[in-house]
């Protein structure tokens, strides 16, 4: 069933139910509408697992109040009993309808969150950059390590950690390092991703000499870019061993 239709229907039923309570002017109709309004606010604030318990307590409490009120005031006539029953039924349906509405909205929110997460996982590149997303980096790295094992080549992981962790400065430095890293790697061969002040570079079929040369060029370009003798990064580089290959890559997550 169309979600918009269900949502509209629930809202209309709540409005119609509230109007019915006001129009029929059953016993305590003003108090019922006031309590319902306050309860709706509280139900939207309390934790999910307590919502139904609260709604049930509210319904039972109002029913017990009507029974006690009728007994104390000796309202034993059939007409008054019917009015009390109608009042309780309308209040019950109004409360349960709002409970259903809250659950429906929560379910829609969860589905929307799942769609956002799936969409993020399907994206290969970070927005407005040519840097791989972490998820895509991990997936491609696994394939690269499998190929490395078959071809008996060595794959290196280079981690660049930004030394200055001031949020604004870190963001600018990270952008510069990402651009420099992208310009140094072999296009459509090596992999680059970044997250939380770290840039990760996976170098396929590389040796110690190639890695050292790339790091030297990285330092050189950063010195020129920042006009600093010591670039604001910490570099870690190590070959990815077969037995810990997946673990090393998944550290990025």
């Amino acid at each position: 069933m169309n979600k918009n239709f269900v949502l509209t229907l629930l809202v209309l039923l709540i409005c119609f139910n509230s109007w019915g309570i006001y129009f029929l002017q059953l016993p305590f109709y003003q108090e019922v509408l006031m309590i319902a309004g306050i309860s709706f606010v509280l139900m939207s604030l309390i934790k999910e697992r307590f919502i139904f318990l609260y709604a049930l307590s509210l319904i039972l409490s109002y029913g017990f109040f009507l029974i006690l009120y009728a007994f104390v005031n000796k309202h034993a006539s059939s007409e008054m009993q019917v009015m009390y029953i109608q009042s309780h039924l309308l209040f019950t349906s109004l409360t349960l309808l709002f409970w259903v509405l809250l659950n429906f909205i929560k379910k829609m929110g969860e589905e929307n969150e799942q769609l956002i997460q799936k969409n993020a996982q399907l994206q290969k590149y970070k927005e407005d950059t040519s840097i791989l997303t972490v998820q895509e980096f991990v997936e491609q790295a696994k394939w690269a390590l499998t190929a490395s094992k078959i071809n008996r080549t060595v794959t290196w992981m280079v981690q660049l950690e930004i030394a200055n962790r001031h949020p604004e400065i870190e963001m600018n430095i990270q952008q510069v390092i990402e651009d420099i890293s992208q310009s140094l790697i072999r296009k459509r061969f090596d992999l680059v991703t970044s997250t939380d002040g770290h840039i990760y570079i996976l170098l396929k079929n590389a040796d110690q000499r190639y890695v050292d040369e790339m790091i030297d060029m990285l330092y050189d370009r950063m010195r020129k870019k920042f006009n600093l003798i010591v670039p604001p990064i910490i570099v870690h580089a190590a070959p990815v061993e077969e037995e810990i290959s997946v673990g090393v890559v998944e550290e990025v997550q």
Side-chain angles (χ1 to χ4, degrees), residues 45-246:
L45 294 175
I46 61 179
K47 294 182 179 180
E48 179 191 358
R49 62 178 179 271
F50 297 125
I51 294 178
F52 181 73
L53 181 63
Y54 176 82
L56 187 62
S57 301
L58 205 61
I59 293 168
L60 293 176
S61 298
Y62 184 57
F64 179 76
F65 166 76
L66 290 176
I67 293 173
L68 185 63
Y69 183 84
F71 177 78
V72 170
N73 292 278
K74 299 180 180 180
H75 293 165
S77 65
S78 298
E79 182 180 353
M80 289 301 300
Q81 289 182 10
V82 169
M83 291 178 68
Y84 287 148
I85 291 172
Q86 288 177 337
S87 178
H88 188 258
L89 287 176
L90 285 173
F91 179 74
T92 300
S93 62
L94 182 62
T95 305
L96 292 178
L97 279 170
F98 190 74
W99 172 70
V100 172
L101 178 63
L102 286 178
N103 279 274
F104 186 75
I105 292 174
K106 180 181 180 296
K107 184 178 179 181
M108 288 179 62
E110 290 176 348
E111 291 177 352
N112 185 58
E113 185 65 28
Q114 290 174 359
L115 287 174
I116 292 174
Q117 292 178 357
K118 288 181 179 178
N119 183 58
Q121 291 175 353
L122 291 174
Q123 289 180 346
K124 290 188 176 183
Y125 299 97
K126 293 188 175 182
E127 188 175 356
D128 300 327
T129 70
S130 56
I131 300 291
L132 291 172
T133 62
V134 174
Q135 180 68 27
E136 184 64 20
F137 180 89
V138 171
E139 292 301 320
Q140 291 195 30
K142 288 179 180 179
W143 284 103
L145 293 173
T146 300
S148 178
K149 177 183 176 182
I150 295 173
N151 299 324
R152 297 185 178 181
T153 57
V154 180
T155 298
W156 282 71
M157 175 75 80
V158 179
Q159 176 184 330
L160 312 175
E161 181 181 355
I162 299 173
N164 192 323
R165 302 310 299 266
H166 187 280
E168 294 183 3
I169 297 175
E170 179 184 87
M171 186 180 301
N172 293 330
I173 294 175
Q174 181 165 320
Q175 181 63 54
V176 172
I177 299 176
E178 288 176 357
D179 294 340
I180 294 175
S181 300
Q182 279 289 94
S183 67
L184 291 176
I185 66 170
R186 295 162 289 184
K187 303 299 181 184
R188 301 183 182 277
F189 193 73
D190 298 325
L191 309 176
V192 179
T193 191
S194 63
T195 177
D196 190 28
H198 293 76
I199 293 85
Y200 297 87
I201 306 173
L202 195 75
L203 301 174
K204 307 176 190 176
N205 191 16
D207 55 20
Q208 180 76 57
R209 180 180 177 183
Y210 175 77
V211 175
D212 290 341
E213 288 177 353
M214 199 208 73
I215 293 175
D216 288 341
M217 287 189 291
L218 179 69
Y219 271 123
D220 184 58
R221 294 193 185 185
M222 289 188 65
R223 288 190 191 99
K224 294 178 181 178
K225 187 69 177 180
F226 295 109
N227 195 26
L228 295 171
I229 297 176
V230 180
I233 61 167
I234 302 171
V235 180
H236 305 281
V240 183
E241 301 294 339
E242 176 185 346
E243 62 270 15
I244 60 169
S245 59
V246 175

